[in-house]
Amino acid sequence: MSEHSARLLLIDDDDDFASSLLTVLETSGHQVRRASDGTTGVQMAMTEPFDLVISDFRMPGIGGMDVLQQLHAAKPRLPVILMTAFSTTERAIESMKAGAFDYLLKPFDPPEMLRVVERALHMSSAAARPVPLREGEAGKAALIGRSRAMQEVFKQLGSYAATPVPVLILGETGTGKELVARALHLHSSRAGQPFIAVNCAAIPENLIESELFGHEKGSFTHAVSRRAGRFEQAQGGTLFLDEIGDIPPPVQAKLLRVLQERRVSRVGGSQEIELDVRVITATHRDLSAMIKKGEFREDLLYRLNGAVLRLPPLRERTEDITPLTRHFLAKVAAQLGIAEPAIEREAMELLKQHPWPGNVRELENAARTLLIEARGFPISAEMVCALMKEPAPAESHGRTVTQLVESCLHSAQAGTLPGGALNAAMEALEQTLYASALRLAAGNQSQVAEWLGVSRVTVREKLDRYDLLPKRAKK
């Protein structure tokens, strides 16, 4: 059957969504049957000759991952596309690692689904067999991001982790290249073996050969004993070479030989040591441009980029700034043993507007500074502006609330006020009032109650409702 007229099985318990998607798929020329639960879907796929299965992830009974695993165990060449409206890092990685052809976030545009369907039909023979996840591996790498850009990274990560190919990770400084390399290791069959990370840019040029390959006693000045290199230390596991573009040309030649022959000899030694090491590399530099300038070996690049994974800069995934900020605040608070503060809405908006040239690393440092300065009280817009060395917007909270109230009143005048909009404006005003009072009172709730003419119980309820209390104070 041709790719443009294939037999598809759609498994989804949402009648409205399934009906819409079924229409899209049938309009494009495919024959589509639908199952409303995972058990029925698996039974149909086992007994009927489908070319592709499209399944929701979260369903009553058995979910999309169970559907995927059962079908791949019986029909490993049958491609399966998973869909979900509730994505997590681990879910995306494990879906791809278990053999899903693709993993789509709802809602998606019909053309996007059709492109994935056509690609799956064309490349169905490339469907991977499942690779079991070892108990305790999940969650060790704190990769965070619901943005589509990061979801693509997670899908690639899941696919590449299941294979032994070398991976080249590209991305600006601070985007989390080592974190991704660790995740590739943790989700691979080498997870129980060493993971050795080397920052090539931080090692002096005259020492990098010894650092990577080791040396024999007396091979050079100060070589007072034999030393195993990083390749030997990573035996059976993974070696991560960060900033590979900073390796000098003479060492590039020896590195190429080691990768080609999968054996290494220490500096000053003649014995060759067999290697069983997966090599993952990363750089923020343009290696193609370096090749043209004669600064990087083209044949070495071919050895390193068995698969390429590009990390987006933080400015291209601003929707991830909120969960990242909350993660870093909780992480640093736990490390320092202090209360995790709330963060005001406008402060978060300012963080989302910042360009973050230092990417995720810069955001983590900013979260640490804000947490320490907040001393357990809500992080304000003024604090963010001071950190970013930007002028604080005068009465910025007031302007924001005023604009919201005026918008509601104009809508009411025109008869188009959406339900609940006025309440939302009033709540925004109340939240601003309590946040400002708490900050001016240095956290003294009795003083806030006296200023606002309400009981201390009311103050406590409002602060709790608007998440203005330090996390420890809520317990």
Side-chain angles (χ1 to χ4, degrees):
M1 187 169 291
S2 72
E3 296 165 22
H4 300 289
S5 180
R7 287 176 56 85
L8 311 184
L9 173 60
L10 173 60
I11 309 174
D12 199 307
D13 62 317
D14 186 330
D15 292 337
D16 292 336
F17 177 83
S19 177
S20 299
L21 182 53
L22 191 144
T23 300
V24 169
L25 295 170
E26 288 184 334
T27 302
S28 67
H30 299 300
Q31 302 174 37
V32 189
R33 294 197 61 196
R34 182 212 168 187
S36 58
D37 63 85
T39 301
T40 303
V42 170
Q43 292 172 349
M44 292 173 63
M46 294 292 192
T47 57
E48 300 180 41
F50 290 105
D51 301 294
L52 173 66
V53 174
I54 304 171
S55 176
D56 192 27
F57 200 100
R58 178 182 290 185
M59 296 180 289
I62 70 170
M65 181 61 82
D66 292 318
V67 169
L68 171 64
Q69 291 172 341
Q70 291 184 35
L71 293 185
H72 267 287
K75 297 185 174 183
R77 287 184 176 271
L78 176 63
V80 178
I81 297 171
L82 293 180
M83 310 174 293
T84 185
F86 307 94
S87 178
T88 65
T89 302
E90 290 298 325
R91 183 174 292 180
I93 293 173
E94 293 310 315
S95 297
M96 299 303 292
K97 183 178 171 184
F101 180 82
D102 211 329
Y103 179 88
L104 297 180
L105 279 178
K106 295 179 180 179
F108 45 74
D109 296 327
E112 179 185 5
M113 170 58 83
L114 292 177
R115 284 193 297 271
V116 174
V117 166
E118 294 304 317
R119 195 167 71 247
L121 293 171
H122 181 66
M123 301 173 62
S124 60
S125 61
R129 293 182 179 273
V131 177
L133 176 65
R134 295 181 175 179
E135 183 178 355
E137 284 182 359
K140 290 183 180 179
L143 290 169
I144 295 173
R146 183 174 167 77
S147 63
R148 290 193 177 272
M150 283 306 293
Q151 290 298 313
E152 287 300 317
V153 169
F154 299 152
K155 290 191 293 185
Q156 287 182 294
L157 198 157
S159 297
Y160 299 160
T163 67
V165 297
V167 178
L168 173 62
I169 304 171
L170 303 177
E172 295 178 8
T173 299
T175 49
K177 296 188 285 294
E178 182 173 343
L179 204 59
V180 170
R182 288 184 181 275
L184 283 167
H185 173 73
L186 289 171
H187 289 277
S188 75
S189 59
R190 298 174 178 264
Q193 302 301 318
F195 175 87
I196 303 297
V198 181
N199 185 347
C200 299
I203 304 173
E205 185 172 337
N206 62 328
L207 295 179
I208 191 166
E209 185 175 353
S210 170
E211 183 74 17
L212 294 179
F213 311 125
H215 62 256
E216 297 289 348
K217 179 179 179 180
S219 57
F220 56 85
T221 305
H222 305 305
V224 296
S225 62
R226 170 186 287 180
R227 182 181 183 278
R230 296 297 191 171
F231 272 93
E232 286 184 74
Q233 295 173 27
Q235 192 74 272
T238 301
L239 177 64
F240 173 54
L241 300 178
D242 197 7
E243 298 305 344
I244 191 69
D246 288 73
I247 289 184
V251 181
Q252 290 179 29
K254 186 164 184 179
L255 176 59
L256 175 62
R257 179 176 174 274
V258 169
L259 295 176
Q260 287 174 332
E261 300 182 4
R262 305 196 67 80
R263 60 182 65 198
V264 66
S265 57
R266 303 186 189 100
V267 175
S270 57
Q271 179 186 0
E272 291 193 326
I273 302 164
E274 295 285 343
L275 292 175
D276 175 22
V277 177
R278 184 187 191 182
V279 176
I280 299 175
T281 53
T283 184
H284 73 283
R285 305 179 68 177
D286 185 343
L287 295 183
S288 297
M290 292 180 66
I291 289 172
K292 292 178 181 178
K293 296 178 181 178
E295 298 173 349
F296 198 83
R297 295 180 65 106
E298 187 173 16
D299 47 4
L300 177 56
L301 177 59
Y302 293 149
R303 281 285 171 180
L304 299 176
N305 65 353
V308 177
L309 201 159
R310 291 179 173 82
L311 294 185
L314 190 54
R315 63 181 174 276
E316 293 180 7
R317 54 181 187 111
T318 54
E319 58 267 57
D320 292 334
I321 289 177
T322 296
L324 281 168
T325 301
R326 297 194 186 283
H327 166 74
F328 291 138
L329 288 174
K331 173 184 172 182
V332 177
Q335 290 174 345
L336 300 180
I338 60 178
E340 177 190 345
I343 180 166
E344 294 177 5
R345 187 179 307 170
E346 189 171 85
M348 186 66 79
E349 287 302 314
L350 289 173
L351 291 175
K352 290 164 69 174
Q353 294 168 17
H354 187 68
W356 299 110
N359 292 293
V360 179
R361 185 180 300 147
E362 182 187 1
L363 177 60
E364 181 174 11
N365 291 336
R368 179 183 292 106
T369 301
L370 289 170
L371 182 142
I372 294 172
E373 291 183 354
R375 294 174 296 171
F377 299 112
I379 294 172
S380 67
E382 290 77 13
M383 291 172 61
V384 174
C385 288
L387 178 66
M388 304 302 177
K389 294 182 172 56
E390 297 174 357
E395 299 178 357
S396 54
H397 280 282
R399 285 204 309 270
T400 300
V401 175
T402 299
Q403 289 169 356
L404 179 58
V405 172
E406 289 181 352
S407 175
C408 288
L409 293 175
H410 286 312
S411 297
Q413 186 178 24
T416 59
L417 181 66
L422 189 56
N423 286 338
M426 295 299 292
E427 285 195 359
L429 177 60
E430 188 176 62
Q431 179 179 0
T432 301
L433 177 65
Y434 275 92
S436 298
L438 183 67
R439 188 166 55 253
L440 290 173
N444 187 324
Q445 296 179 32
S446 297
Q447 183 67 71
V448 172
E450 181 181 342
W451 286 347
L452 300 183
V454 297
S455 69
R456 194 176 187 282
V457 172
T458 298
V459 170
R460 178 78 178 193
E461 290 175 349
K462 295 295 185 182
L463 296 180
D464 187 61
R465 176 179 180 179
Y466 295 124
D467 198 24
L468 296 174
L469 286 171
K471 295 290 167 51
R472 186 173 297 167
K474 289 184 178 182
K475 297 179 181 177

